[in-house]
Amino acid sequence: MLVLLFSQDSNFTKHTTLPDFPACFQLSVLPWAPCIFLWLTSPFYIFYLKRNNRGYIMMSILNRIKTVLGLILWIVCWTDLFSSFHEMSQNQLKPPVYFVTPLVLGMTMLLATFLIQFERLKGVQSSGVLFIFWTISVLCAIVPFRSKIMNASQAEVSVFTMFYIYFGLILLQLILSCFNEKPPLFSSVVTDPNVCPETTAGFLSKMTFWWFTSMAIKGYKSPLENKDLWSLNKHDSSELVVPNLLNEWEVEKSKSVKEQAAFRKAGPGAEPNHVSVSPEEEEVLLSKRKEARQPSFLRALLRAFGPYFLIGSAFKLLQDLITFVNPQLMLIDFTKQPQAPSWWGYSLAFLMFSASLLQTLILHQHFQYCFVTGMRLRSGIIGAIYRKSLVITNEAKRSSTVGEVVNLMSVDAQRFMDLTTFLNMLWSAPLQIVLALFFLWQNLGPSVLAGVAVMVLLIPFNAFIAMKTRSYQVEQMKYKDERIKLMNEILNGIKVLKLYAWETSFKQKILQIRQKELNVLRKTAYLSALSTMAWTSAPFLVALTTFAVFVTVDVNNVLDAEKAFVSLSLFNILRFPLNMLPQVISSIVQASVSLKRIQGFLSHDELDPESVDRRNNTSGNSPHSSHTSLVCALLGEMEKLEGQISIQGSVAYVPQQAWIQNATLRDNILFGRPYAEQKYRCVLEACALTPDLEVLPGGDQTEIGEKGINLSGGQRQRVSLARALYSEADVYLLDDPLSAVDAHVAKHIFDNVIGPEGALKGKTRILVTHGISFLPQVHNILVLVEGRVSEMGSYQDLLKQNGAFADCFGFVTSAFTKRGSRQTLLLTSCNLHVVFPVKNHLVSHSVEQKEASWTLMASYVKLKVYWEYAKAVGPLLSLFICVLYGCQSATSIGANVWLSEWTNDALLNRTQDRVHMRVGVYAALGISQGVLVMFSSFTLALGKIQAARKLHQTLLDNKFHTPQSFFDTTPIGRIINRFSKDIYVIDEVLPSTVLMFLGTFFASLSTMIVIIFSTPIFALVIVPLMLLYWWVQRFYVATSRQLKRLESVSRSPIYSHFSETVTGTSVIRAYGRNTAFVLLSDMKVDENQKSYYPGIVSNRWLGVRIEFIGNCIVLFAALFAVIGKEKLSPGLVGLSVSYALQVTMSLNWMVRMTSDLESNIVAVERVKEYSETATEAPWIVKDKQPPPDWPPKGNVEFIDYSVRYREGLDLVLRNISLEIKGGEKIGIVGRTGAGKSSMTLCLFRLLEAADGEIVIDEVKISEIGLHDLRSKLTIIPQEPVLFSGTLRMNLDPFEKYSDEEVWKVLELSHLKKFVSNQPSKLELECSEGGENLSVGQRQLVCLARALLRKTRILVLDEATAAVDLETDDLIQSTIRTQFEDCTVFTIAHRLNTIMDYTRVLVLDKGKIAEFDTPTNLLAQKGIFYGMAKDAGLA
């Protein structure tokens, strides 16, 4: 009917200067459209509201007015209905439409009124459905409104008035629906001081992201701080997201368990089926079963986040359909008809504008949904990994290092997040391709197939590239993991590397891995250059083949402007899905690798919470354990093979290596328990911590650095003990807590805490110890030999038995428990990282300020940073790349201008004679563009590799030359961040950003040139539009960059807290603090998402505004084409409008890329900053090199020597003067913080003198190179550090010595038996931190290193702390025999080791208190005498 109507009335509508619609159309289609919309959407909307109740809104004035207006509208509509009935009763015949329309309208108004109230009850503050309904109603009423005015003379007054009332009311409803209701009662909006305005924003504000404007303005005026950020929406918080994901994962796991059970039942022993199955079928069934056995993390993710994501997909579908409206509306047809009325042109222009606008709004809603899904995914995955890491077994923990697990959180979770944005392209791209081809077929007929053939041919080419890229990526991830892991170890053991002068060897190792990484990166870059070329040329090649085939197949085929440019627009639409598909596929490939890694980690075995029976009271024993393993077993940290363990009551645990959190000292002791002043003071007193608090700068509020860096070993151990004491548990497991403290402190702690009269009397306590002096005071002794209990009983009993205990007072662990309730319990020390005690002179407050200052750095990234990057790429190369991009745009414009000339041939009827020339030139221009693209990508790839190499190299060089104090005050996480995240950005993200930026910049530029070339008047509009563009862009870039900085500052704590947790899992579990730590992690993730979320929204906010500018360009290009219709050829109009349609995308991406460039270039700035930190003295000073045999004697002289840790801190050693003859053995003793360790650090120049000199054999050590000095001294450090690698590498990284020499020192250090029993001998692999050797063995490896270097001067730093007596004797006797003629400095804990030394130096508060032979000092009855008395030696 409608088609008929239009064919009859086309004169009435189109071919006239005053167009109008027929009455029937105005009475039926127009009023029904909004009604159909509302009735279709209502059921879904009501269902949605029922599911998502947000609370109840009080009846407001606004609400009352809306409801009343709705009812009046219903009355107005039905008045119309009754007047029609009335007229019918007057025998005036009326068509049925006069009854149906008012009836339908009236019912719809009632539905709308019902919705107004229903929304209020469900807490909806602003309704999108009703807003759209009122908008459509008003739009559809405008046409009849206009025609009623035009025909005012003929219309009846009553109908006329009623319609005006109706029109006025719906307009009023539309205006009212723009306003918001008050928030629901008791909602977070009311309670939260900093709630996100999105929750209260109206529909329009949400669609245009207007609610974000306040932050954009705030960020532009002044740098944003944490307090300016809005709270995270409830639905996005870890509190809801993580449990949701974990529940789905549990469901998934339980399903797979059931399937496995079913499979076992239906296994070979099951009854035979009566249906015979062929072997092939059986194989298929079996393979299916194998697949089914794995629980799938992907399914869990889909169930948890899929439904929300689907809403975004619905928006995407709408947007895809609207995309194809514009090419159908192009003005070419209009310009071809000289007599077409100009209102037709204007309405086409405005239709194009409206379609573009609608497309913009819908597209950004789609993105918003996708990004929020991505954000929730990340929260969920991080939460799941964190929770898992608290419960995995030690074996599983060893299979992945801390670095690798942190990578799961940072890199792999990030990949999922990136994927969600594009995931919809998987179905949307094929849909767009099909639609585009459909319209192209209509336009050009079968010739399109030629173009399709080109596309199909390109697919395998790209598939090949994608496959190769994937394999390279896996390879590169492997090298990256390897490099970060090694770097992590180097930074953890940097002090040892400096002491041994081993930096160069390890630097080479890093550079070797880096070289492999760069080789893979280079291959990837070349591949991507090829694929860039293929994708840039694809649309052109398709257009070329299509047009060429079109004009050559049939003489009658004429390529006119409409065909050419409508097709070009469609080809441009094709370009995006074709570009995206391979990217999406490679993203999916990357995500699938990540999925495997995450799923693997989440499927690790968990510790069995039931392995230790915490109820009944029998006593069991754990086989296969040494003493530390025994404690582990009691904690349920080891795999139970047989037997049983039971514990009654709560447990407190002190590991062998103290685990300290990055928090205040008080928080470390309270460990989540409420603060009780009296109890707290007693605990500090008992653990001898009161004197330390006076030394620490902030007392017990001193912030302790990562891994307890600013406490000495003894202080860390005492804090760990204080934590156990404060927890008031029933059972205490103490794994050698007294080893790291001085003898007098050990005695104090034993008497006040552990011993029969200590604070723990009446509690069960199990102590692993190497200190014989305490054995007589314990109730029960358990002697372990090679993992078995050899004897048990009291001290006296064991001595009488004459067993292993009495024989070799050697392998001893004493466990004492209250008699009567003997329970055994077990636990490991799993501090993966070794830390050096740096005395109390470091505070990490500066650290917090440092990271904060990053945030507030000058708003504009300085041009200098761009210049730094350009220099790293190579200045000439940078310029050349820009020139290539310019040329490439020029050829592209050339090709299209040529096409517009070609289409004008059609008007002049001289098409045939020039076809070959036209096709040839067009092809030449297009192909040269492709070649230029390839060239520019190749040069960019070369440049990026060069920059990546240079920047990493300078960072690495600097870090190896950085003084030790830098590492003591900077959290390792932050340095690692430079090597992982920032180098990754420089390697991969930054180059592609530069590529996109150059591409979009030149594309936008060429659009402006083309439009001005075809309609010069456009230049007038360009200035205000560009100003608006620049203005929006400045607001956006300022805010977005600060949000990114806030986001990256809040990202580090997630990972550092995580790696801290992983190292302390056994402690956290022993104290039952899992939940608290999980909450803490969630809080840190939410804190990070709080700055990430506005960051996403800022992109949407920008997108809507920039695309609006782009849509204005489309509008003006079309309007000017209509105005200048007489002068323009259809070819030029086509060229101008088709370029304008492309511009939106380019403009949008250009701002996005400007911002990305500014955000990513920060990585260069951060790397630069750490590449320029102050360095220590040179490793080798050429003209001051000491002779090769220096030092010949080993004389050491301190001349009025003073030293401080850092500028501005107090002196640690004050005016020390002493002379030591070669071969003397010097013991150094003193209370904690007296400056014992500092003295040895001065010899190695880890601390540089503040005053005075140290002279070794007539050479002033301050004048020679550090390596010359350090390679001539040897230290056996306090905590033995091993690096992952072979044992041989750990002893001799430079491979200076022969295998014989190495075996010789292994024999001297009593390791030969152990090593020769290993299958791989010297090539024995040490795991990260030497985890697979016991602490004693590690200490012996350090001894072996010292023996191998055999220098004149040896320093022993508390080396015997963690070693049992037998090992201690071994070390001492070896040192006495092997270093007989060497000068030896020993920092002693156990005074018995130095009683036979030449002299003893007693330090007190950094000064020499006493210095003489041990015998004389004892006679003086001074400080030394007091200490000897405490240790029972005087």
Side-chain angles (χ1 to χ4, degrees):
M1 175 181 104
L2 286 176
V3 180
L4 269 171
L5 260 174
F6 274 112
S7 57
Q8 292 164 8
D9 293 302
S10 69
N11 292 335
F12 181 48
T13 48
K14 190 173 165 185
H15 303 293
T16 163
T17 42
L18 274 182
D20 200 3
F21 282 115
C24 176
F25 182 77
Q26 289 188 23
L27 276 173
S28 57
V29 178
L30 290 179
W32 292 351
C35 302
I36 293 169
F37 164 78
L38 193 63
W39 284 100
L40 282 180
T41 47
S42 293
F44 300 106
Y45 186 48
I46 291 169
F47 174 69
Y48 167 78
L49 288 181
K50 277 196 156 165
R51 291 284 297 273
N52 295 19
N53 192 352
R54 293 176 206 163
Y56 165 88
I57 299 179
M58 297 287 282
M59 180 75 101
S60 63
I61 298 178
L62 178 66
N63 198 279
R64 289 190 177 117
I65 297 176
K66 283 192 204 167
T67 313
V68 170
L69 288 180
L71 292 171
I72 298 176
L73 270 168
W74 167 65
I75 295 169
V76 168
C77 295
W78 282 22
T79 313
D80 252 3
L81 179 67
F82 292 128
S83 74
S84 297
F85 276 120
H86 175 70
E87 284 175 19
M88 207 169 108
S89 64
Q90 304 288 316
N91 289 333
Q92 291 182 347
L93 268 177
K94 284 262 178 185
V97 74
Y98 281 94
F99 300 97
V100 178
T101 301
L103 179 69
V104 172
L105 272 177
M107 302 278 284
T108 312
M109 293 307 160
L110 276 180
L111 175 63
T113 313
F114 162 72
L115 281 179
I116 291 172
Q117 283 309 315
F118 189 65
E119 285 175 340
R120 179 179 71 81
L121 296 175
K122 294 294 176 194
V124 177
Q125 290 175 261
S126 168
S127 164
V129 172
L130 286 177
F131 177 82
I132 296 171
F133 167 69
W134 296 123
T135 310
I136 301 176
S137 299
V138 170
L139 288 177
C140 290
I142 288 175
V143 176
F145 183 68
R146 175 177 169 274
S147 53
K148 283 199 167 52
I149 293 175
M150 278 163 51
N151 309 326
S153 50
Q154 307 154 16
E156 298 170 27
V157 181
S158 64
V159 178
F160 204 67
T161 328
M162 278 323 221
F163 185 77
Y164 282 169
I165 294 173
Y166 167 76
F167 186 74
L169 289 173
I170 55 174
L171 193 59
L172 204 56
Q173 282 280 32
L174 176 61
I175 294 166
L176 288 178
S177 65
C178 296
F179 295 100
N180 267 9
E181 291 285 356
K182 289 200 291 285
L185 294 174
F186 315 119
S187 72
S188 61
V189 183
V190 189
T191 50
D192 188 339
N194 207 2
V195 70
C196 179
E198 183 187 12
T199 42
T200 56
F203 175 70
L204 270 181
S205 169
K206 275 186 184 160
M207 288 304 282
T208 56
F209 297 94
W210 185 259
W211 56 270
F212 179 78
T213 309
S214 61
M215 186 173 278
I217 293 172
K218 193 185 275 181
Y220 181 70
K221 285 186 180 160
S222 62
L224 290 173
E225 292 169 44
N226 228 5
K227 60 173 195 298
D228 300 325
L229 297 175
W230 299 313
S231 312
L232 200 60
N233 293 336
K234 190 85 173 136
H235 295 291
D236 303 330
S237 64
S238 300
E239 183 190 351
L240 290 182
V241 173
V242 184
N244 181 13
L245 175 62
L246 286 177
N247 292 343
E248 297 297 354
W249 176 233
E250 284 309 319
V251 169
E252 197 48 52
K253 282 203 294 197
S254 58
K255 267 193 201 161
S256 101
V257 170
K258 276 181 202 154
E259 277 180 19
Q260 279 175 342
F263 177 60
R264 284 197 204 96
K265 271 186 205 155
E271 283 182 29
N273 263 336
H274 295 295
V275 187
S276 65
V277 180
S278 70
E280 291 87 3
E281 282 178 56
E282 207 163 62
E283 210 163 89
V284 171
L285 285 171
L286 278 171
S287 66
K288 275 191 183 151
R289 279 204 183 122
K290 271 186 201 128
E291 280 163 31
R293 259 179 275 169
Q294 274 295 316
S296 154
F297 187 55
L298 181 64
R299 278 201 286 262
L301 288 175
L302 289 176
R303 279 206 298 274
F305 305 112
Y308 185 81
F309 184 71
L310 282 175
I311 304 177
S313 309
F315 278 115
K316 181 70 182 142
L317 181 65
L318 263 177
Q319 189 254 339
D320 283 352
L321 299 176
I322 298 174
T323 310
F324 289 95
V325 174
N326 274 342
Q328 306 306 316
L329 298 173
M330 282 178 95
L331 294 160
I332 302 164
D333 187 33
F334 166 77
T335 16
K336 276 200 301 199
Q337 304 171 359
Q339 74 288 3
S342 47
W343 69 264
W344 178 243
Y346 291 129
S347 50
L348 275 179
F350 278 102
L351 264 175
M352 281 171 83
F353 177 67
S354 313
S356 304
L357 200 59
L358 197 58
Q359 189 184 336
T360 296
L361 294 178
I362 291 176
L363 178 68
H364 288 288
Q365 283 308 313
H366 152 248
F367 275 137
Q368 177 70 355
Y369 275 96
C370 291
F371 273 105
V372 172
T373 310
M375 176 173 129
R376 290 179 185 176
L377 254 177
R378 175 166 173 253
S379 288
I381 290 174
I382 291 182
I385 291 172
Y386 187 87
R387 285 159 174 75
K388 182 72 180 186
S389 68
L390 282 173
V391 293
I392 57 174
T393 59
N394 283 325
E395 190 182 353
K397 198 150 116 189
R398 276 196 291 273
S399 68
S400 41
T401 62
V402 183
E404 283 167 355
V405 184
V406 172
N407 247 348
L408 285 182
M409 272 195 177
S410 51
V411 183
D412 295 324
Q414 188 67 38
R415 285 215 170 131
F416 270 100
M417 203 153 137
D418 299 341
L419 178 64
T420 47
T421 2
F422 301 127
L423 196 56
N424 279 317
M425 290 307 293
L426 257 190
W427 57 264
S428 155
L431 173 75
Q432 289 184 30
I433 292 170
V434 168
L435 283 172
L437 291 178
F438 167 73
F439 287 119
L440 280 167
W441 182 279
Q442 286 196 318
N443 212 355
L444 299 174
S447 317
V448 174
L449 293 175
V452 177
V454 173
M455 282 183 207
V456 173
L457 286 175
L458 280 172
I459 289 173
F461 174 69
N462 282 291
F464 167 74
I465 288 182
M467 290 284 290
K468 289 302 279 181
T469 311
R470 173 193 178 164
S471 58
Y472 287 149
Q473 226 135 19
V474 174
E475 195 179 346
Q476 196 191 343
M477 275 303 281
K478 193 183 82 190
Y479 292 136
K480 188 175 151 204
D481 274 357
E482 217 173 294
R483 178 170 60 84
I484 299 302
K485 181 181 156 191
L486 181 58
M487 204 62 225
N488 197 18
E489 285 191 66
I490 288 175
L491 292 173
N492 275 311
I494 189 81
K495 189 169 184 181
V496 168
L497 293 186
K498 287 186 180 301
L499 291 171
Y500 288 138
W502 278 2
E503 294 100 329
T504 36
S505 158
F506 279 83
K507 193 165 115 184
Q508 281 321 111
K509 290 177 86 171
I510 289 275
L511 289 176
Q512 278 165 5
I513 302 176
R514 179 69 179 158
Q515 189 51 51
K516 289 180 195 164
E517 200 180 352
L518 287 175
N519 289 343
V520 178
L521 202 63
R522 178 181 289 115
K523 290 179 200 163
T524 322
Y526 289 159
L527 277 181
S528 75
L530 277 177
S531 79
T532 311
M533 181 196 76
W535 286 119
T536 318
S537 321
F540 168 78
L541 285 175
V542 172
L544 172 69
T545 42
T546 310
F547 293 154
V549 169
F550 180 72
V551 291
T552 46
V553 171
D554 186 346
V555 184
N556 302 327
N557 281 351
V558 173
L559 187 67
D560 60 4
E562 187 175 11
K563 282 199 174 68
F565 286 103
V566 171
S567 304
L568 262 190
S569 283
L570 289 165
F571 284 135
N572 278 328
I573 291 178
L574 259 183
R575 188 184 196 143
F576 184 65
L578 282 178
N579 262 328
M580 287 307 301
L581 259 183
Q583 280 186 35
V584 175
I585 290 166
S586 74
S587 280
I588 288 179
V589 165
Q590 285 183 4
S592 70
V593 175
S594 298
L595 181 73
K596 271 203 199 100
R597 289 161 56 126
I598 293 172
Q599 187 168 312
F601 182 76
L602 291 178
S603 306
H604 274 325
D605 292 342
E606 298 185 7
L607 285 173
D608 175 11
E610 305 301 316
S611 65
V612 175
D613 177 5
R614 306 224 162 188
R615 295 177 306 277
N616 67 4
N617 192 10
T618 59
S619 154
N621 219 325
S622 152
H624 318 284
S625 61
S626 68
H627 36 79
T628 291
S629 309
L630 174 69
V631 188
C632 294
L634 289 172
L635 283 175
E637 296 268 318
M638 295 187 98
E639 199 176 331
K640 187 165 75 177
L641 301 177
E642 52 184 320
Q644 62 171 36
I645 304 169
S646 65
I647 294 175
Q648 274 186 312
S650 58
V651 176
Y653 166 51
V654 180
Q656 192 171 0
Q657 292 185 332
W659 175 71
I660 304 290
Q661 279 180 276
N662 186 358
T664 62
L665 186 78
R666 177 184 292 182
D667 291 343
N668 263 298
I669 295 175
L670 299 182
F671 207 49
R673 283 178 176 70
Y675 176 68
E677 177 78 31
Q678 184 59 39
K679 175 169 138 189
Y680 180 68
R681 293 282 155 226
C682 296
V683 168
L684 289 181
E685 194 51 55
C687 295
L689 278 166
T690 323
D692 296 302
L693 292 187
E694 291 157 18
V695 194
L696 290 168
D700 67 352
Q701 290 302 323
T702 306
E703 182 82 18
I704 295 177
E706 233 176 289
K707 295 193 288 239
I709 192 89
N710 45 338
L711 297 179
S712 71
Q715 287 168 326
R716 292 206 294 268
Q717 198 65 60
R718 298 203 300 276
V719 169
S720 181
L721 196 60
R723 176 193 297 154
L725 189 52
Y726 193 85
S727 73
E728 291 195 321
D730 304 317
V731 178
Y732 283 78
L733 297 174
L734 311 167
D735 189 355
D736 209 4
L738 302 176
S739 60
V741 297
D742 300 332
H744 61 283
V745 182
K747 185 170 184 306
H748 171 100
I749 290 176
F750 190 84
D751 295 344
N752 288 308
V753 182
I754 305 170
E757 296 309 312
L760 295 180
K761 60 172 185 244
K763 309 266 188 178
T764 303
R765 42 215 189 280
I766 292 177
L767 171 75
V768 172
T769 182
H770 301 119
I772 302 177
S773 51
F774 307 125
L775 294 185
Q777 304 180 52
V778 308
H779 299 141
N780 233 322
I781 298 174
L782 191 71
V783 183
L784 290 180
V785 179
E786 294 182 353
R788 299 189 173 280
V789 176
S790 73
E791 300 166 76
M792 206 164 92
S794 72
Y795 183 70
Q796 297 303 330
D797 299 345
L798 293 182
L799 280 181
K800 287 177 196 148
Q801 283 177 20
N802 272 337
F805 179 74
D807 287 353
C808 69
F809 240 27
F811 256 57
V812 180
T813 30
S814 76
F816 50 79
T817 49
K818 223 171 73 191
R819 272 186 216 270
S821 66
R822 258 211 72 263
Q823 309 134 332
T824 359
L825 179 46
L826 206 59
L827 180 64
T828 48
S829 50
C830 29
N831 258 24
L832 303 188
H833 297 301
V834 175
V835 178
F836 284 87
V838 174
K839 296 293 188 295
N840 342 340
H841 310 278
L842 309 177
V843 204
S844 57
H845 284 306
S846 60
V847 166
E848 302 307 317
Q849 291 151 7
K850 181 82 184 54
E851 198 71 10
S853 68
W854 255 110
T855 328
L856 302 176
M857 275 184 53
S859 264
Y860 287 96
V861 174
K862 300 171 212 62
L863 282 172
K864 184 169 160 259
V865 185
Y866 289 104
W867 174 236
E868 286 291 352
Y869 188 66
K871 268 200 313 203
V873 171
L876 284 174
L877 197 61
S878 307
L879 190 68
F880 184 53
I881 291 171
C882 292
V883 172
L884 281 175
Y885 268 95
C887 298
Q888 158 196 333
S889 290
T891 48
S892 164
I893 295 180
N896 284 327
V897 171
W898 183 260
L899 183 69
S900 104
E901 284 299 307
W902 177 4
T903 57
N904 290 338
D905 284 356
L907 296 176
L908 310 170
N909 291 328
R910 40 160 212 237
T911 48
Q912 277 323 300
D913 37 339
R914 298 178 155 205
V915 167
H916 295 296
M917 188 261 291
R918 291 292 190 197
V919 173
V921 175
Y922 187 54
L925 284 167
I927 289 166
S928 55
Q929 182 197 352
V931 174
L932 282 167
V933 170
M934 191 170 76
F935 260 118
S936 48
S937 303
F938 265 121
T939 39
L940 195 63
L942 282 175
K944 95 171 185 187
I945 301 288
Q946 203 161 315
R949 169 176 291 119
K950 251 185 224 165
L951 291 166
H952 179 265
Q953 177 90 37
T954 48
L955 175 65
L956 191 68
D957 283 348
N958 179 280
K959 277 299 134 281
F960 273 117
H961 281 281
T962 303
Q964 181 63 32
S965 60
F966 175 84
F967 298 102
D968 295 339
T969 50
T970 313
I972 284 183
R974 194 167 307 156
I975 307 174
I976 281 288
N977 223 343
R978 300 293 188 277
F979 278 101
S980 56
K981 182 83 179 136
D982 293 330
I983 289 290
Y984 160 73
V985 169
I986 290 170
D987 283 354
E988 301 181 42
V989 185
L990 194 58
S992 61
T993 312
V994 171
L995 189 124
M996 294 281 288
F997 174 75
L998 291 172
T1000 51
F1001 173 74
F1002 283 106
S1004 309
L1005 193 65
S1006 46
T1007 304
M1008 298 307 151
I1009 293 170
V1010 168
I1011 299 180
I1012 293 177
F1013 165 71
S1014 53
T1015 47
I1017 188 174
F1018 185 77
L1020 293 176
V1021 198
I1022 229 167
V1023 179
L1025 281 180
M1026 285 302 105
L1027 275 174
L1028 186 63
Y1029 178 77
W1030 182 81
W1031 191 65
V1032 168
Q1033 187 242 6
R1034 282 311 338 147
F1035 267 105
Y1036 164 77
V1037 171
T1039 307
S1040 133
R1041 194 182 44 252
Q1042 290 163 47
L1043 286 170
K1044 279 198 178 151
R1045 282 200 173 146
L1046 281 174
E1047 195 267 332
S1048 69
V1049 168
S1050 63
R1051 192 189 309 119
S1052 303
I1054 300 179
Y1055 307 138
S1056 53
H1057 172 245
F1058 177 67
S1059 52
E1060 187 175 271
T1061 306
V1062 173
T1063 37
T1065 38
S1066 48
V1067 180
I1068 296 169
R1069 287 196 284 250
Y1071 287 96
R1073 300 270 302 143
N1074 293 28
T1075 327
F1077 271 76
V1078 163
L1079 285 175
L1080 193 63
S1081 168
D1082 283 355
M1083 201 180 78
K1084 289 184 190 299
V1085 173
D1086 286 350
E1087 197 54 40
N1088 176 237
Q1089 300 288 33
K1090 215 167 84 173
S1091 48
Y1092 174 74
Y1093 182 65
I1096 315 173
V1097 178
S1098 68
N1099 281 336
R1100 305 284 72 80
W1101 179 86
L1102 166 87
V1104 171
R1105 278 145 195 74
I1106 294 293
E1107 286 181 29
F1108 177 73
I1109 296 173
N1111 298 338
C1112 289
I1113 292 179
V1114 174
L1115 176 67
F1116 287 119
L1119 285 179
F1120 294 143
V1122 174
I1123 293 169
K1125 177 181 155 198
E1126 270 65 50
K1127 298 193 239 15
L1128 292 178
S1129 68
L1132 272 180
V1133 173
L1135 186 68
S1136 160
V1137 175
S1138 68
Y1139 261 98
L1141 282 175
Q1142 275 174 288
V1143 76
T1144 316
M1145 189 92 117
S1146 309
L1147 285 180
N1148 196 348
W1149 276 103
M1150 194 163 97
V1151 176
R1152 198 77 46 82
M1153 288 302 130
T1154 313
S1155 166
D1156 278 1
L1157 198 56
E1158 289 203 10
S1159 308
N1160 289 327
I1161 203 89
V1162 170
V1164 176
E1165 189 177 5
R1166 287 164 56 109
V1167 165
K1168 230 34 210 162
E1169 184 212 17
Y1170 271 31
S1171 308
E1172 288 162 2
T1173 49
T1175 51
E1176 53 188 5
W1179 285 345
I1180 291 171
V1181 179
K1182 277 278 185 280
D1183 49 346
K1184 293 272 190 188
Q1185 278 191 291
D1189 60 341
W1190 176 85
K1193 305 193 192 68
N1195 297 338
V1196 178
E1197 191 180 355
F1198 284 75
I1199 306 169
D1200 203 17
Y1201 190 83
S1202 306
V1203 74
R1204 55 167 58 94
Y1205 267 93
R1206 283 201 315 284
E1207 280 302 312
L1209 293 176
D1210 295 339
L1211 292 173
V1212 206
L1213 295 177
R1214 294 187 180 82
N1215 311 53
I1216 300 256
S1217 294
L1218 54 116
E1219 201 172 328
I1220 292 148
K1221 295 274 172 287
E1224 277 197 284
K1225 308 284 179 279
I1226 303 292
I1228 304 176
V1229 295
R1231 315 243 165 211
T1232 301
K1236 304 188 296 273
S1237 293
S1238 314
M1239 194 151 172
T1240 56
L1241 297 180
C1242 301
L1243 276 175
F1244 287 88
R1245 282 178 63 195
L1246 279 191
L1247 296 178
E1248 293 286 6
D1251 210 1
E1253 279 288 358
I1254 298 178
V1255 180
I1256 299 180
D1257 282 353
E1258 281 91 56
V1259 174
K1260 289 183 177 178
I1261 66 167
S1262 57
E1263 293 177 354
I1264 60 174
L1266 292 180
H1267 276 187
D1268 285 334
L1269 167 68
R1270 291 171 184 169
S1271 58
K1272 303 291 185 182
L1273 308 176
T1274 303
I1275 185 166
I1276 301 181
Q1278 180 176 17
E1279 295 189 27
V1281 177
L1282 298 190
F1283 299 95
S1284 55
T1286 62
L1287 181 64
R1288 165 143 192 132
M1289 188 281 302
N1290 267 296
L1291 292 171
D1292 173 25
F1294 292 101
E1295 304 196 346
K1296 281 192 206 158
Y1297 304 97
S1298 67
D1299 278 7
E1300 288 73 43
E1301 290 172 288
V1302 176
W1303 278 112
K1304 180 89 181 10
V1305 298
L1306 285 177
E1307 187 172 356
L1308 290 171
S1309 56
H1310 311 279
L1311 279 169
K1312 188 171 182 180
K1313 180 181 167 196
F1314 168 73
V1315 179
S1316 50
N1317 286 339
Q1318 301 293 329
S1320 41
K1321 305 278 190 284
L1322 289 177
E1323 299 304 308
L1324 166 71
E1325 276 296 325
C1326 302
S1327 60
E1328 191 174 3
E1331 279 293 286
N1332 51 353
L1333 302 178
S1334 71
V1335 180
Q1337 285 169 326
R1338 278 180 253 166
Q1339 197 70 63
L1340 293 174
V1341 171
C1342 291
L1343 174 64
R1345 278 179 192 160
L1347 290 165
L1348 201 54
R1349 288 164 74 107
K1350 195 68 191 292
T1351 56
R1352 277 270 161 206
I1353 298 173
L1354 171 72
V1355 179
L1356 280 164
D1357 184 359
E1358 301 178 312
T1360 54
V1363 182
D1364 57 66
L1365 294 179
E1366 193 175 48
T1367 318
D1368 189 13
D1369 287 343
L1370 295 177
I1371 291 179
Q1372 289 299 338
S1373 62
T1374 308
I1375 288 170
R1376 282 192 178 79
T1377 54
Q1378 295 302 312
F1379 292 96
E1380 204 174 349
D1381 50 351
C1382 302
T1383 312
V1384 178
F1385 293 88
T1386 303
I1387 295 178
H1389 268 164
R1390 303 179 181 165
L1391 296 187
N1392 57 347
T1393 55
I1394 56 163
M1395 290 313 261
D1396 60 347
Y1397 274 30
T1398 331
R1399 287 190 280 175
V1400 172
L1401 171 68
V1402 183
L1403 287 175
D1404 189 34
K1405 299 197 176 113
K1407 294 192 169 138
I1408 299 179
E1410 303 171 0
F1411 185 37
D1412 210 335
T1413 61
T1415 335
N1416 292 354
L1417 289 180
L1418 287 176
Q1420 283 175 24
K1421 299 224 189 291
I1423 299 179
F1424 183 71
Y1425 172 76
M1427 293 168 82
K1429 198 170 166 199
D1430 284 348
L1433 296 170

